[in-house]
Amino acid sequence: MGAAGYVALSGRNGSSSPKPATPLESLPSPTPTTVPTPTAPRPGGSQTITAPGRFNLDTFDAQLTGESSVVEILGRTHSRLVQWADKKLTGDLAQRWETPDAQTLILHLDPGARWQPRAPLNGRALTAEDVVSHLKRSLQIAAGGKAPLAQRYHAYGAIASVDSPAAGQVRIALNQPDPFLLDTLASEFALIQAPEAVERFSAVWSKLDSDHVVGTGPWSFDWANDGVTFTAWLDGHRKPLLDELHVVEPSDAAKRFVDGSLDEAIIRDRRDSSLIPATALRFRRYEPQIVMSSFYAGSPPWNDGNLINAISAAMARPELARRMFGGRAEPSFPVPPSNQAPADGVRAGVGYAGYLDEDTRAGARSAWGAAGGLGLGTITIDFPSVFDPLYSASSIVVAMLNDALGPQFKAGVETYTTISKRIVEGYYGNGRPAFWFGWGAPISSPSAERYVAETYAAGSPGQRATGAPATQVVGDATNIIGAGFLGVVPWLQQFADVVRNPKIQAPEPSPFWNQHLDYLRANV
């Protein structure tokens, strides 16, 4: 799949798709719990939690895997140079950093970082040469062009060279300024591997032997009958509060949480959520992709933003969320809810109708007619086969549009492969009254700025239209300037419940990789 197709589509591989919801009126929608004032943690103990999806593992080579479930293991046993915490970039192996000019980054490594006491590292200290070797291998893999798309090696394109100017320092020189370099170093698969481990295990990491996993993270792991067990390692730069963490696949999560065998669980089905006792702590966990459509606004008929705006008004998002997901979804604004900080303020001036209420549907037909929509004839909407009939999406979306705009919409159910091919070939638009509706690709970063740049800017992977107005990133990246969304229209972001035993403490749930924060887990 080409870059545009990858950004546009997601087949949900390696994760558990949310289940169809029961009708809204039959079950109340639980609200997230107000987090209680933290109680002093007590040392030691264990917790058992669920992973977001099944363990679909391909290799323990962090630089070559394409599966997010591998990060369920390596994200706890390994470290990144920098990391995301509370939607902010903070230090990990890099204790601090400086930018002497716009094309140079110097990272100062944490002197407390060590490799775990497994062969062939045997507990030695992390060195700058380790990091340089790792990054040079990443650049070689990127140049080869054969790594999984999930690795996003195109993001390393601005790096010209890597070296160590002094002990404990790593210098990255760029061939052009890159505002997202730190974000790339904190990305999902940017887990630092030792040169000795690469030399010893690269040929056998696909065997998934726990003895072949050695990092600088706060946990060592081994297989268990129903998942993986992590044991605290206290001699590195991050020291866990628990003695042990057990991570299992999410099957029968609600039942196991109720019987006490789970301390924390991700619940996607409303019927399961209704079984959880009121004493449990509840949190909202957004899914890592949004439901969206691409119209490619630079080509007819979708170069008329009034047509897209009328469709947006007809697809009133609160009603769409109730019909399709039983209310377990939020309207996705230009910056999705998962990427917003509380003060971002993106709900103002979103550009298209249909976000916060359903009154927009009443005026949608006249707006559609005024823009010439009735003259387009039959309009085909392609739905991915993994999305429909799972959610009855085709019948719901087509019914909403035909009811609001007139009976000229029809559904096509295709594979993601077919839809991806059509996107790359410019099938949608270019004089053809057609678009698609489904999950986008997993969101690449918690960064709102990066999301805006990769989704809306002309020439970005999310935009194929030529001559479309550029997106300006202003302040906190929530001011989307130009012709609407330039053809990428966000609809909804689904969410699940995370339920917790009130006797445990843990970081906020996230749709992004946050396994590195599990060293903060504790019992109270």
Side-chain angles (χ1 to χ4, degrees):
M1 189 185 302
Y6 174 70
V7 169
L9 297 177
S10 169
R12 308 284 281 209
N13 290 335
S15 64
S16 296
S17 300
K19 299 177 182 178
T22 52
L24 178 69
E25 59 271 14
S26 64
L27 288 172
S29 182
T31 56
T33 306
T34 300
V35 180
T37 302
T39 305
R42 52 185 176 85
S46 66
Q47 291 180 15
T48 302
I49 66 175
T50 58
R54 296 185 62 83
F55 292 120
N56 186 23
L57 311 176
D58 52 0
T59 175
F60 283 153
D61 190 335
Q63 292 166 283
L64 287 176
T65 180
E67 297 292 343
S68 291
S69 59
V70 173
V71 183
E72 284 298 309
I73 294 173
L74 301 188
R76 296 179 171 97
T77 59
H78 287 58
S79 307
R80 300 174 179 87
L81 287 166
V82 291
Q83 64 186 8
W84 281 100
D86 297 326
K87 297 186 180 178
K88 296 179 182 178
L89 286 170
T90 63
D92 192 353
L93 290 177
Q95 196 172 53
R96 60 185 178 90
W97 53 85
E98 57 189 283
T99 51
D101 58 66
Q103 293 180 219
T104 306
L105 173 68
I106 298 178
L107 301 152
H108 297 260
L109 302 182
D110 190 327
R114 308 187 67 82
W115 297 100
Q116 293 167 354
R118 283 184 174 180
L121 280 306
N122 300 315
R124 72 166 177 81
L126 173 83
T127 67
E129 288 71 24
D130 295 337
V131 177
V132 170
S133 175
H134 171 90
L135 291 175
K136 285 184 174 180
R137 182 177 185 240
S138 290
L139 294 177
Q140 291 173 350
I141 294 171
K146 295 183 179 180
L149 287 170
Q151 287 279 349
R152 293 174 51 83
Y153 276 126
H154 63 274
Y156 291 79
I159 297 178
S161 65
V162 183
D163 68 352
S164 175
Q169 295 182 19
V170 175
R171 177 170 56 195
I172 300 177
L174 305 176
N175 52 39
Q176 63 185 31
D178 180 1
F180 301 122
L181 177 59
L182 285 173
D183 180 78
T184 296
L185 298 179
S187 60
E188 183 175 16
F189 298 104
L191 298 158
I192 303 299
Q193 301 187 134
E196 299 100 309
V198 172
E199 181 179 2
R200 175 80 66 88
F201 300 130
S202 60
V204 294
W205 264 325
S206 60
K207 295 183 179 180
L208 305 178
D209 188 331
S210 61
D211 291 339
H212 301 162
V213 174
V214 52
T216 56
W219 306 93
S220 61
F221 103 98
D222 205 348
W223 293 107
N225 290 335
D226 59 345
V228 292
T229 294
F230 295 92
T231 303
W233 182 55
L234 300 176
D235 294 330
H237 66 297
R238 286 185 283 135
K239 305 181 190 306
L241 298 174
L242 295 173
D243 293 328
E244 187 175 87
L245 179 67
H246 193 52
V247 183
V248 299
E249 293 183 335
S251 59
D252 296 323
K255 178 181 177 181
R256 289 185 292 163
F257 182 84
V258 171
D259 70 21
S261 58
L262 287 177
D263 297 294
E264 176 182 291
I266 299 173
I267 309 295
R268 290 188 167 92
D269 193 305
R270 289 174 63 87
R271 293 162 293 190
D272 289 343
S273 188
S274 69
L275 304 176
I276 304 300
T279 54
L281 301 179
R282 287 183 186 265
F283 303 83
R284 180 166 292 181
R285 180 188 185 274
Y286 294 105
E287 297 296 342
Q289 58 270 101
I290 65 169
V291 179
M292 60 173 285
S293 291
S294 293
F295 288 85
Y296 300 119
S299 59
W302 308 126
N303 54 342
D304 185 346
N306 293 321
L307 291 172
I308 304 174
N309 195 43
I311 291 174
S312 182
M315 294 268 283
R317 286 157 181 78
E319 181 178 351
L320 181 64
R322 286 197 299 271
R323 290 195 190 188
M324 189 170 296
F325 303 121
R328 294 172 72 81
E330 284 187 17
S332 183
F333 292 83
V335 177
S338 60
N339 292 64
Q340 296 175 23
D344 274 354
V346 296
R347 284 167 167 76
V350 295
Y352 279 130
Y355 273 93
L356 299 180
D357 57 58
E358 298 166 24
D359 294 342
T360 56
R361 286 175 57 79
R365 182 172 297 219
S366 60
W368 178 251
L374 298 175
L376 296 180
T378 300
I379 298 171
T380 301
I381 310 170
D382 283 344
F383 295 85
S385 53
V386 297
F387 198 87
D388 191 276
L390 179 63
Y391 296 106
S392 302
S394 60
S395 60
I396 291 170
V397 170
V398 169
M400 288 183 69
L401 290 173
N402 283 337
D403 176 62
L405 303 180
Q408 61 186 109
F409 295 86
K410 73 172 186 177
V413 178
E414 304 286 354
T415 65
Y416 260 122
T417 302
T418 297
I419 293 175
S420 299
K421 185 172 183 290
R422 289 179 175 180
I423 290 172
V424 172
E425 293 175 348
Y427 176 90
Y428 303 108
N430 287 326
R432 184 178 288 105
F435 61 94
W436 67 274
F437 181 104
W439 287 303
I443 300 171
S444 65
S445 164
S447 166
E449 290 85 355
R450 189 158 207 163
Y451 184 86
V452 168
E454 293 187 347
T455 307
Y456 304 117
S460 69
Q463 295 294 336
R464 298 183 67 251
T466 58
T471 297
Q472 297 178 16
V473 179
V474 180
D476 60 2
T478 61
N479 189 4
I480 310 301
I481 307 298
F485 301 131
L486 303 183
V488 174
V489 179
W491 301 115
L492 301 168
Q493 188 167 25
Q494 295 165 262
F495 59 80
D497 292 325
V498 171
V499 295
R500 285 180 183 159
N501 184 322
K503 295 182 179 180
I504 75 170
Q505 290 181 3
E508 283 286 314
S510 170
F512 304 106
W513 49 96
N514 65 345
Q515 297 86 357
H516 56 282
L517 299 178
D518 277 345
Y519 77 101
L520 297 171
R521 287 183 173 272
N523 297 320
V524 296

